[in-house]
Amino acid sequence: MSSLTLRDWKNLIACAIALAVAACLPWTSGAYALSIGVTIAMYTVLATSWALFSGPTHYISLASAAFFGVGAYVTGIGIEYLPYWTLPPIAAVFGAVMAALVGLATLRLSGVYFVIFTLGLAEFVRQIITWSQNISGTKGIYVLTSIGEKHIYWQLLALAALVWLVGWLIARSRLGFALRIIGDDEVVARHSGIDTARAKILLFMLPGAVAAMTGAILAPRYVYIEPALAFSPMLSFQVVIMALLGGTGRLWGPLVGVIPFTFLWEAISVSFPNQTTLLLGVCFLVIVYFLPKGFVGLIDAGRRRMQAGEATT
């Protein structure tokens, strides 16, 4: 890893200031603004961790809901036996192990086959939990704690900072370099001596652990957890759309997509509650067709045009 430049230090200081300002939201805003802040923080964590894997490898994963649901159930089941603060780390371990097992089975697949498998994973786990609850005679789990909205927000904000830091370190590491080669041409990467399967599995464990930890943190917010809520496929699609809208070419890209899409989706949910699935599909098509590289691509293209204009003057 190379030493930090002056620009790196400036970026780190700017990020620290932004996080400090964001952390003040519970003290400066009302309940509705805090609720939106929790949603933005949640999707920032999920979309950023998703982009760390799918961005460089170009593997589209729809498994976020599976890991998220597992994490929520770790809290739901474990809250009666363990302190709450021990449950998110335990959920992260479950998510990482699950991602490693899924990676061993699927990351040799590519294209639509990997997408279909990861989409079916959440439904598979949901059906297993539903079956086990039917056998035991229970329909859901109550999560009753003293953890409030502001505590959830601060936890998600800290997790977002951790994900950004890990992503920044990975980008500067040999693993990040290997993953960029894999994304450009996996055959060339293998011929270059890169263990492509190992690199992909290691990185796939990150969004698995992060999504499970996010589900564990959010469980008290829902109070009552059932499989249809914890393993909603809408979550996986929203994470992908937000990441693509912002762009996966930069670490901060997903955040640029999360903020506007959160407010857009809030308006859609209120105005068209029965057409949300249809409109989610429309949003996905519009983003893929008109913004293939997201807002990051637009910003980069604008910078290049400005530089070209300055060079000609």
Side-chain angles (χ1 to χ4, degrees):
M1 183 182 298
S2 58
S3 58
L4 297 181
T5 64
L6 180 59
R7 182 179 180 182
D8 291 332
W9 281 111
K10 288 182 178 179
N11 290 337
L12 288 173
I13 292 172
C15 289
I17 294 173
L19 284 169
V21 171
C24 296
L25 179 66
W27 296 317
T28 59
S29 302
Y32 177 74
L34 179 57
S35 177
I36 293 294
V38 170
T39 302
I40 290 175
M42 176 188 75
Y43 281 114
T44 297
V45 170
L46 293 174
T48 303
S49 63
W50 181 91
L52 290 179
F53 168 76
S54 295
T57 63
H58 306 309
Y59 278 69
I60 303 299
S61 170
L62 293 175
S64 298
F67 301 126
F68 182 92
V70 167
Y73 267 86
V74 167
T75 296
I77 295 172
I79 197 68
E80 295 184 5
Y81 309 100
L82 296 170
Y84 167 78
W85 301 105
T86 66
L87 297 174
I90 293 173
V93 173
F94 272 88
V97 171
M98 183 178 171
L101 295 175
V102 172
L104 286 170
T106 64
L107 283 175
R108 291 178 176 82
L109 303 174
S110 61
V112 69
Y113 302 104
F114 180 76
V115 176
I116 292 173
F117 188 95
T118 55
L119 176 61
L121 179 63
E123 181 64 20
F124 175 71
V125 178
R126 184 175 75 86
Q127 292 297 335
I128 290 178
I129 293 180
T130 301
W131 174 80
S132 64
Q133 289 187 340
N134 289 336
I135 294 296
S136 63
T138 60
K139 297 299 181 182
I141 300 175
Y142 283 97
V143 184
L144 304 176
T145 71
S146 60
I147 303 298
E149 195 94 330
K150 63 181 180 181
H151 304 106
I152 293 172
Y153 174 75
W154 284 327
Q155 290 178 76
L156 291 173
L157 204 62
L159 183 57
L162 179 61
V163 170
W164 281 325
L165 179 60
V166 171
W168 182 73
L169 292 173
I170 288 175
R172 298 166 61 89
S173 69
R174 295 179 61 184
L175 175 61
F177 179 70
L179 288 166
R180 287 190 290 272
I181 297 176
I182 292 172
D184 292 336
D185 194 321
E186 193 164 339
V187 175
V188 171
R190 283 197 296 266
H191 290 168
S192 301
I194 297 174
D195 189 343
T196 58
R198 178 174 175 271
K200 288 186 294 184
I201 290 171
L202 283 175
L203 196 61
F204 190 53
M205 291 170 67
L206 176 60
V210 170
M213 199 169 184
T214 304
I217 292 171
L218 264 294
R221 188 190 199 199
Y222 300 130
V223 181
Y224 180 78
I225 300 174
E226 58 181 356
L229 172 66
F231 297 94
S232 172
M234 292 281 284
L235 177 72
S236 295
F237 285 105
Q238 285 176 303
V239 168
V240 173
I241 289 173
M242 290 178 180
L244 294 179
L245 176 61
T248 60
R250 296 287 187 275
L251 186 59
W252 47 265
L255 176 61
V256 179
V258 166
I259 294 175
F261 193 85
T262 297
F263 288 102
L264 173 63
W265 193 248
E266 184 78 7
I268 288 174
S269 300
V270 172
S271 303
F272 308 98
N274 298 321
Q275 290 81 33
T276 53
T277 302
L278 172 63
L279 293 175
L280 185 68
V282 171
C283 290
F284 181 77
L285 293 175
V286 169
I287 291 169
V288 171
Y289 186 78
F290 291 103
L291 290 171
K293 294 184 179 180
F295 289 136
V296 167
L298 292 179
I299 294 171
D300 288 344
R303 286 177 176 174
R304 286 193 295 269
R305 284 195 296 268
M306 289 179 61
Q307 292 173 354
E310 292 175 356
T312 55
T313 58

